[in-house]
Amino acid sequence: MTEKKAAATRKAPTKKAAPKKAPVKRAPRKPSTKPVKKSYIDDVFGRYVPNQAKAKAIAERYVIDWNPLEALKAGGYSEGTVRSHGHVMIKHPNIQAELAKLQEEIRANVIADAAYVIHGMHEVAEKCMGHQPIITLDEEGNSIVKLGFNPAAATAALEKIGRSLGMFKDSIEIKGVLSVEDWVAQVEEKARGANVGKTQH
């Protein structure tokens, strides 16, 4: 046997598998001691906290023309501060709470004013229809009691009351709307009738 054949028949030495390494146990992570980064809104709310008096002053100025910059300046904040953060500062919960109170008061006053107007128109209507006496004073200061009747003024007052209560609606009801084809047909029919009348004469 030649040396080449002998070398081919020799078996390559087997490699032993390397022993498996034991898994490394890692220690649990410690909680981070770094401060959590706040959002821009939280940061502004934290830096600029208006007390009740300041928040009320801001709210009272804000409802005049709904200008947040002027309102915040009325609360004592500087021009630069309100120009940089005013759009967020005006949304602070303290300011919004005072604003809600103020809006509720305004809403109640508006309702009271509306009731006063309707009550006044009711009195005008009653007097103009002669249901209530009209009391005036003469030159000497004596009371003059009389009943008046002004149907035009009474009608106007009652109409205003009705419109305030939503009793009247300005609407036009259109019935029997013709299509273009029907309108053309009617015009042609009238034209034929006119022609027939001419031929008969």
Side-chain angles (χ1 to χ4, degrees):
M1 183 181 290
T2 62
E3 292 182 1
K4 290 183 179 181
K5 290 182 178 182
T9 55
R10 292 197 197 103
K11 292 182 179 180
T14 57
K15 293 181 180 180
K16 293 182 179 181
K20 293 183 179 180
K21 294 182 180 180
V24 179
K25 293 183 179 180
R26 296 181 180 180
R29 292 184 179 180
K30 295 181 180 180
S32 177
T33 57
K34 294 181 180 180
V36 179
K37 188 176 181 180
K38 293 182 179 180
S39 66
Y40 170 67
I41 296 177
D42 292 336
D43 181 59
V44 172
F45 283 179
R47 281 192 292 165
Y48 307 101
V49 183
N51 56 30
Q52 185 177 6
K54 184 176 288 189
K56 185 177 180 181
I58 293 171
E60 289 176 348
R61 177 61 182 81
Y62 189 43
V63 296
I64 294 176
D65 55 6
W66 303 101
N67 187 327
L69 302 184
E70 295 299 326
L72 290 165
K73 285 194 290 185
Y77 292 106
S78 66
E79 179 91 15
T81 299
V82 299
R83 288 195 176 277
S84 300
H85 312 294
H87 63 289
V88 174
M89 294 169 64
I90 198 67
K91 298 177 183 178
H92 195 283
N94 294 0
I95 298 175
Q96 292 299 313
E98 292 298 325
L99 186 61
K101 293 179 185 177
L102 191 57
Q103 287 177 320
E104 186 62 31
E105 293 177 4
I106 294 173
R107 190 177 297 109
N109 291 334
V110 169
I111 294 173
D113 291 343
Y116 174 79
V117 171
I118 293 176
H119 179 71
M121 287 189 295
H122 177 263
E123 286 192 352
V124 171
E126 288 290 303
K127 289 180 179 180
C128 291
M129 289 188 294
H131 296 170
Q132 289 186 8
I134 300 174
I135 302 174
T136 58
L137 298 177
D138 59 12
E139 296 179 355
E140 298 178 357
N142 299 319
S143 300
I144 300 175
V145 180
K146 61 181 181 179
L147 294 176
F149 181 69
N150 188 335
T155 301
L158 291 172
E159 182 181 359
K160 290 179 180 179
I161 294 173
R163 290 187 183 280
S164 300
L165 299 176
M167 298 172 63
F168 306 132
K169 294 182 180 179
D170 296 325
S171 61
I172 301 174
E173 186 178 358
I174 301 175
K175 295 181 179 180
V177 178
L178 294 176
S179 64
V180 176
E181 292 80 4
D182 294 338
W183 180 78
V184 172
Q186 286 189 8
V187 171
E188 291 177 348
E189 185 177 355
K190 288 182 180 180
R192 286 195 298 269
N195 292 332
V196 170
K198 290 180 181 180
T199 55
Q200 289 178 354
H201 292 293

